[in-house]
Amino acid sequence: MEVIEMPWNEQNYPPSMKNLKKVVRKKAIEIANALKEKNYDDKRAISIATEQAENGINIALI
């Protein structure tokens, strides 16, 4: 039987995203879920998503 993982959301997200600003966390969750769909493991998806979300938000503020 295949285990189906639920995607992360605003109420259920990795502990490492706890201290991100809400707007950054929301984008990081979106990116991480997309990476998980492409079969990235959790740790790698979280790392990439957090970095990309932080960089993307910072660039948007310039």
Side-chain angles (χ1 to χ4, degrees):
M1 188 159 105
E2 185 178 338
V3 175
I4 299 173
E5 291 186 36
M6 296 298 293
W8 289 303
N9 58 51
E10 289 289 323
Q11 291 73 41
N12 178 31
Y13 50 84
S16 62
M17 293 183 183
K18 180 179 88 171
N19 293 322
L20 297 175
K21 291 180 180 179
K22 189 173 183 174
V23 65
V24 175
R25 183 172 53 241
K26 185 175 180 181
K27 190 63 174 175
I29 290 168
E30 179 183 325
I31 295 168
N33 283 332
L35 292 172
K36 295 266 300 168
E37 286 181 12
K38 295 182 181 241
N39 297 317
Y40 280 72
D41 66 55
D42 286 2
K43 188 174 180 180
R44 187 79 177 123
I46 293 165
S47 175
I48 293 169
T50 300
E51 181 178 356
Q52 291 298 312
E54 288 176 334
N55 288 339
I57 298 301
N58 288 336
I59 288 170
L61 295 176
I62 294 176

